[in-house]
Amino acid sequence: MTPKSVVVLDYGSGNLRSAQRALERTGANVTVTADADAAANADGLVVPGVGAFEACMAGLRSIDGERIIADRVSAGRPVLGVCVGMQILFARGVEFGVESRGCGQWPGAVTRLDAPVVPHMGWNVVEAAPSSGLFKGLGADARFYFVHSYAAQRWEGNPETLLTWSTHHVPFLAAVEDGPLAATQFHPEKSGDAGAELLANWVEGL
């Protein structure tokens, strides 16, 4: 069986090599690149992201990443956003009182967690969506690694979308599965066996 091809989109943000290594362990053929043709033609596209929302959007726009993502989604081709790579899929992000425009694949805003301690950093459990493909085979006690101060805290999109929640003082979206477009707020590549199983589930579905 031919290995699935996965591109980790290099737009100047994210744990590119750790994401590459984690995906390679699933058996996928993984390339880290900013090349639009490679990103368009791969079986799966991973959009990583760390740092500030606006900085990630600036990097994404510099390689026409918004169009790359939009074209894949409209063609029904899988995309997985990770951490800030999930946040930028929403319509807007609000950081330090400044609102920035996101990719707009999903309506709504990413805002600061209303918690006594931020960032939310470390291991946490999630409440996986019923019939989730990403969390298939993972128990309710599975823990994932989070590092973030901002998150989507409500869902304004399609009510049939599969939503996975977690809590750090307040509930927030830990993962979204919306047809070909999926995303996790946590870092699967840093989440040990549970993260490895989630990535294997995603690659299996390509």
Side-chain angles (χ1 to χ4, degrees):
M1 186 170 150
T2 306
K4 300 292 187 180
S5 61
V6 174
V7 161
V8 177
L9 192 62
D10 182 3
Y11 63 99
S13 178
N15 301 303
L16 303 175
R17 298 304 167 190
S18 58
Q20 179 184 20
R21 288 192 295 271
L23 286 157
E24 284 174 342
R25 285 193 285 272
T26 72
N29 183 3
V30 186
T31 305
V32 176
T33 182
D35 182 77
D37 288 340
N41 294 321
D43 294 320
L45 177 68
V46 174
V47 182
V50 295
F53 187 104
E54 176 56 35
C56 284
M57 281 305 303
L60 196 65
R61 290 187 186 111
S62 73
I63 65 160
D64 204 16
E66 281 182 284
R67 181 189 61 78
I68 292 170
I69 294 168
D71 285 354
R72 282 191 65 98
V73 172
S74 63
R77 310 206 68 196
V79 175
L80 177 67
V82 173
C83 197
V84 184
M86 168 177 173
Q87 296 177 8
I88 58 176
L89 297 171
F90 287 86
R92 57 196 193 281
V94 182
E95 291 185 346
F96 310 111
V98 177
E99 185 169 305
S100 304
R101 182 177 62 82
C103 291
Q105 289 293 325
W106 296 320
V110 170
T111 55
R112 185 175 173 86
L113 290 168
D114 183 14
V117 177
V118 290
H120 170 219
M121 183 163 61
W123 297 84
N124 205 344
V125 294
V126 303
E127 186 179 333
S131 72
S132 165
L134 285 180
F135 295 91
K136 183 180 65 176
L138 287 160
D141 59 346
R143 301 176 79 83
F144 299 90
Y145 190 77
F146 292 84
V147 185
H148 63 116
S149 300
Y150 298 82
Q153 295 169 68
R154 9 180 336 211
W155 178 253
E156 301 173 25
N158 185 338
E160 296 181 6
T161 300
L162 299 179
L163 305 177
T164 290
W165 295 86
S166 188
T167 302
H168 177 64
H169 193 67
V170 292
F172 65 89
L173 280 165
V176 176
E177 295 164 76
D178 183 19
L181 186 58
T184 65
Q185 178 59 67
F186 54 83
H187 287 276
E189 78 281 5
K190 295 182 178 180
S191 295
D193 290 345
E197 192 164 343
L198 182 142
L199 290 175
N201 285 339
W202 181 72
V203 170
E204 184 185 344
L206 297 179

